Amino acid sequence: FKELKSSFAELFDSVYEAFVYFDHFGTNMISRTQLMRGLKTLDLMPLDMPHAEYTVAIMRAADKGVVDGVLDAREFLTNFRWHKLGKDLEEELLNVKTKRRQIM
C-alpha cells in the first residue's frame, strides 16, 4: 500500500477525501469496479500487472474480517491513511462528504 498511500497523499488533502472520491455512489462502500475505475482515472494502475488482478490483490489485502469484495470506510481509511485519523471516523467522513463536488 505504500505506493498508493504516497500517490493519494499527493492527490488528496486527506484519506477521507480519497475515500469519497472512490465511493462514487455515497454508500460508504467501495467495490472492486469502483476501485479499478478510480485508479485508472487517476493513472495509478501498474504497467506490469493486469488491472483486474491488481485491484483484486488490493481488495484482498485491505478487506479485513469478512472478505466480502468491498471495502467499507473503516477498511479503506485504516489501510490507506498517511496521516492520523480523527476519533470519530463517521463524523470526519460526513464533513468531507459535504465537499464532495469539490473533490470530484
Side-chain angles (χ1 to χ4, degrees):
F1 296 133
K2 286 183 181 181
E3 290 177 13
L4 279 180
K5 284 182 189 181
S6 178
S7 296
F8 290 167
E10 292 176 18
L11 296 166
F12 302 101
D13 290 337
S14 72
V15 69
Y16 302 101
E17 285 188 7
F19 180 80
V20 169
Y21 176 82
F22 286 98
D23 181 22
H24 296 288
F25 303 115
T27 61
N28 285 340
M29 300 280 187
I30 299 172
S31 68
R32 186 179 64 81
T33 302
Q34 288 174 311
L35 181 64
M36 186 165 40
R37 284 183 185 153
L39 292 173
K40 281 182 183 179
T41 301
L42 296 172
D43 200 27
L44 296 177
M45 285 295 201
L47 299 174
D48 60 343
M49 183 185 288
H51 296 172
E53 186 178 321
Y54 182 64
T55 52
V56 166
I58 293 169
M59 296 294 282
R60 283 191 182 141
D63 200 6
K64 301 294 183 199
V66 177
V67 179
D68 54 6
V70 295
L71 296 179
D72 63 33
R74 184 170 299 283
E75 290 168 334
F76 186 92
L77 296 172
T78 57
N79 279 290
F80 294 105
R81 68 186 168 93
W82 60 89
H83 56 79
K84 188 175 180 178
L85 297 176
K87 291 182 180 182
D88 188 344
L89 296 182
E90 284 83 23
E91 183 178 330
E92 295 276 347
L93 197 54
L94 186 61
N95 289 336
V96 171
K97 282 184 175 184
T98 61
K99 300 184 283 185
R100 183 174 177 82
R101 287 191 186 271
Q102 296 170 0
I103 296 167
M104 302 307 280

